Amino acid sequence: ELGLGWTERLHPDDVSRVAETFEAAFARREPFRMAYRLQRADGAWRWLDDQGAPNFGPHGAFLGYVGVANDVTERRRA
């Protein structure tokens, strides 16, 4: 997703940990990896394994993060 709108759907128990992880990585322009629960549009909670890497322009300007979030709900249940 673009922007931070996804954070509005974080599980309440995960909000502070996710914010701390993301803010620390963002401040240092470092990669991050974290797991958290996110609520789908139908109300179901899913566990995601989220990884991001900083993206820099040709002259070194920080452009944000490029990442992937994989649904690992079934793996966690097992």
Side-chain angles (χ1 to χ4, degrees):
E1 290 191 26
L2 295 174
L4 296 174
W6 62 274
T7 59
E8 296 172 8
R9 296 189 320 271
L10 281 168
H11 191 281
D13 293 344
D14 299 336
V15 171
S16 62
R17 180 179 46 78
V18 168
E20 290 171 11
T21 300
F22 183 75
E23 289 170 6
F26 190 90
R28 294 188 301 265
R29 309 296 198 249
E30 294 179 344
F32 67 84
R33 185 172 189 174
M34 58 187 162
Y36 53 83
R37 290 161 285 185
L38 195 67
Q39 191 172 37
R40 294 189 324 195
D42 66 2
W45 290 100
R46 305 299 290 185
W47 276 100
L48 298 179
D49 177 26
D50 190 353
Q51 299 179 65
N55 185 25
F56 298 96
H59 300 290
F62 177 67
L63 302 176
Y65 278 85
V66 175
V68 62
N70 292 303
D71 185 334
V72 294
T73 305
E74 299 308 319
R75 184 181 337 155
R76 290 186 71 100
R77 286 183 185 155

